[in-house]
Amino acid sequence: MTLHIPFDNSYAALPDTFYARVKPEPVKAPSLIAINEPLARDLGIDGLDDPNLAALFAGNAIPDGASPLAQLYAGHQFGQYNPQLGDGRAILLGETIGTDGIRRDIQLKGSGRTPFSRMGDGRAWLGPVLREYVVSEAMHALGVPTTRALAAVRTGDVVVRERPLPGAVLTRVAQSHLRVGTFQVFAARGETQALQTLFEYAVARHYPEATDPASFLDAVMRRQAALVAHWMSLGFIHGVMNTDNCSISGETIDYGPCAFMDSYHPETVYSSIDRYGRYSYAAQADIIVWNMAQLATALLSLMPDPEASVEAFTTQIHTMPEMIRAEWLQRFGAKIGIADPTPEDAALIGDLLTLMQTAEADFTNTFRGLVDGTARDQFADPTGFDHWSEAWQSRIASEDDPKGRMSAANPVLIPRNHQIEAMITAAVGGDDAPFARLMAAYATPYGANPDFDDLRSPPAPEEVVQATFCGT
């Protein structure tokens, strides 16, 4: 074996109540779809010419130094608490410290059953693996904190969902896989010592500046507020913001029924299981506050006087909507060329969004059109936009380099749902060329490239994808 991953594992050193030690289940005929060589180099991984690379990233062989385990957590799923979830189809191989000095997890997703699989088979099919690979790497290129994709492998096995489908395994990299639900499971069980150990571990790994549960909560809230505002500035809809899908590190995690909006509407939902719009585009700002309230509840038992701390934590949570508004205003201010937006500018931004909603204008192309002068083309009747544009041009007249600011905030390309679905259909048929093309295009989403101009187009009516599905 020439592949070398410099493991430096810490989670495996925690008490065994935090996880179950389990090895990946071998697959029939692993074949490599993609390896993210730049990320591998950043992680200090050597030996990518190893002929057994596919077997290693499928779980058929365990790299030296790995300490495979499935993590325990709980979570609120669509508002209902599930007391035990855990990694039902994912196995943490271990951790590395990258060339930037940051510790990161390396996890196999779709690697077989674990003690937390419940009735599941522990496997993943090709579609969700490629969706997460493409979208997570696109999010990274867009500048959004996110888990990363290190490798994707076909397994040669059949996974049965509504129909037989080709199996696959994704290798995912994250600053950690600690979730709100990780704290919830020990709090709900009354295992205060385990909760204290988890708190100390999370502080040391992610928030060394935190001195107590209150300052830790504040630090997590600030990262989450910035993350969700960033999502919204790109028209991104996570789709399943359960507390078990809410990363303590402030990274985007679990790309199941996610999608980027085409036509702007604040109530847009893509998730096939979100029947009431709990996780719609606009609702994300409220849901992240709700999720942080669940984290606060879990942390209460670590306070010297939990009952007396309820009011203080409640007050703390109530500060979060203003955090999000401030982050949202900064992000959207940049999208229209304003460096230090004011509350009056929020009205200007809101007016544009209202016009876009009424006209069913494309979110990405309208904002990018402010850079290249084509935004007006998004409106069948441009009268309202013309009036708005006069006020906007007057506002940015005194700004320093508004076009440069807008160019940096408004991507040319985003992973559009119909293009992702077409790529998956091709890959199921054995054609990975569309996957490779999307990866090349999304690597530089802010730069114009004539070779990828066709990817800027929203879907034709017959191409619209109404719903995406969880990655099972």
Side-chain angles (χ1 to χ4, degrees):
M1 182 186 298
T2 59
L3 181 75
H4 172 65
I5 302 176
F7 286 109
D8 185 353
N9 303 326
S10 63
Y11 200 84
L14 294 174
D16 58 12
T17 189
F18 286 80
Y19 52 78
R21 293 193 181 275
V22 59
K23 291 183 179 180
E25 295 180 359
V27 302
K28 184 168 67 176
S31 61
L32 191 67
I33 302 168
I35 179 74
N36 190 336
E37 293 190 17
L39 176 59
R41 288 193 295 269
D42 290 345
L43 296 173
I45 297 175
D46 297 322
L48 294 180
D49 57 349
D50 192 319
N52 297 312
L53 208 59
L56 285 160
F57 285 116
N60 283 24
I62 306 299
D64 293 340
S67 185
L69 56 87
Q71 293 180 313
L72 170 67
Y73 48 84
H76 277 89
Q77 298 181 306
F78 288 88
Q80 300 299 312
Y81 184 67
N82 189 324
Q84 181 170 300
L85 296 168
D87 290 333
R89 59 190 181 92
I91 292 176
L92 175 66
L93 290 180
E95 304 148 36
T96 66
I97 298 175
T99 56
D100 57 5
I102 296 175
R103 179 179 295 273
R104 291 181 176 86
D105 289 354
I106 300 179
Q107 181 195 70
L108 299 182
K109 195 173 179 182
S111 49
R113 290 183 180 89
T114 79
F116 309 121
S117 295
R118 292 160 288 172
M119 301 299 292
D121 61 9
R123 293 300 186 188
W125 75 275
L126 183 62
V129 166
L130 294 185
R131 176 182 289 275
E132 179 156 348
Y133 197 113
V134 170
V135 180
S136 64
E137 285 304 296
M139 289 283 271
H140 173 70
L142 287 163
V144 182
T146 180
T147 59
R148 302 283 305 278
L150 179 60
V153 174
R154 283 184 175 83
T155 64
D157 294 322
V158 172
V159 173
V160 179
R161 296 299 181 254
E162 291 81 9
R163 58 191 174 91
L165 294 162
V169 175
L170 175 76
T171 304
R172 180 166 73 182
V173 173
Q175 289 194 29
S176 83
H177 286 84
L178 299 179
R179 309 155 188 263
V180 171
T182 317
F183 285 80
Q184 288 181 287
V185 69
F186 298 116
R189 292 178 176 183
E191 297 179 12
T192 306
Q193 185 53 58
L195 186 63
Q196 179 68 33
T197 299
L198 176 63
F199 165 71
E200 292 172 0
Y201 180 82
V203 166
R205 186 157 178 177
H206 296 300
Y207 301 101
E209 71 279 8
T211 57
D212 58 14
S215 58
F216 172 75
L217 176 62
D218 182 72
V220 177
M221 285 166 51
R222 290 185 183 281
R223 281 199 197 173
Q224 297 294 341
L227 178 65
V228 169
H230 205 163
W231 287 355
M232 296 181 75
S233 76
L234 296 168
F236 177 76
I237 305 166
H238 184 278
V240 61
M241 289 175 66
N242 296 328
T243 57
D244 56 297
N245 294 335
C246 188
S247 168
I248 292 298
S249 69
E251 292 179 298
T252 313
I253 190 171
D254 288 331
Y255 290 89
C258 68
F260 287 78
M261 277 194 299
D262 295 307
S263 298
Y264 173 72
H265 197 293
E267 296 177 8
T268 300
V269 173
Y270 283 102
S271 172
S272 64
I273 58 175
D274 190 0
R275 296 185 179 89
Y276 303 106
R278 178 180 174 87
Y279 300 139
S280 69
Y281 169 78
Q284 295 177 124
D286 294 327
I287 287 297
I288 196 60
V289 177
W290 194 91
N291 285 356
M292 291 298 97
Q294 310 319 305
L295 177 60
T297 300
L299 292 170
L300 275 172
S301 61
L302 299 182
M303 300 298 287
D305 187 341
E307 284 193 26
S309 299
V310 170
E311 184 177 352
F313 273 22
T314 300
T315 299
Q316 196 169 342
I317 291 294
H318 285 169
T319 66
M320 193 175 182
E322 183 52 41
M323 289 183 196
I324 297 170
R325 280 191 290 270
E327 294 282 355
W328 183 95
L329 183 57
Q330 199 65 38
R331 287 284 174 190
F332 275 83
K335 289 177 79 66
I336 65 169
I338 300 172
D340 296 307
T342 66
E344 290 75 20
D345 295 320
L348 185 66
I349 296 163
D351 288 345
L352 176 59
L353 291 172
T354 298
L355 290 168
M356 289 167 61
Q357 179 179 339
T358 301
E360 299 183 345
D362 186 82
F363 184 89
T364 299
N365 289 346
T366 300
F367 278 106
R368 186 66 192 191
L370 298 178
V371 180
D372 57 28
T374 61
R376 189 176 189 270
D377 300 341
Q378 297 296 318
F379 300 84
D381 178 0
T383 305
F385 176 79
D386 290 342
H387 288 307
W388 179 87
S389 184
E390 289 178 11
W392 169 60
Q393 293 287 355
S394 176
R395 172 62 183 88
I396 65 171
S398 60
E399 288 287 322
D400 178 42
D401 192 24
K403 188 170 183 178
R405 189 171 297 112
M406 289 188 291
S407 295
N410 295 312
V412 175
L413 296 176
I414 45 97
R416 293 187 183 270
N417 220 14
H418 67 294
Q419 294 160 357
I420 297 289
E421 292 297 331
M423 174 272 293
I424 290 171
T425 298
V428 169
D431 180 7
D432 289 339
F435 167 79
R437 184 168 188 257
L438 292 187
M439 289 302 300
Y442 301 150
T444 54
Y446 293 97
N449 186 331
D451 291 341
F452 303 124
D453 275 351
D454 59 303
L455 299 179
R456 300 183 65 174
S457 300
E462 67 276 10
E463 295 176 316
V464 172
V465 178
Q466 299 291 350
T468 53
F469 298 83
C470 284
T472 57

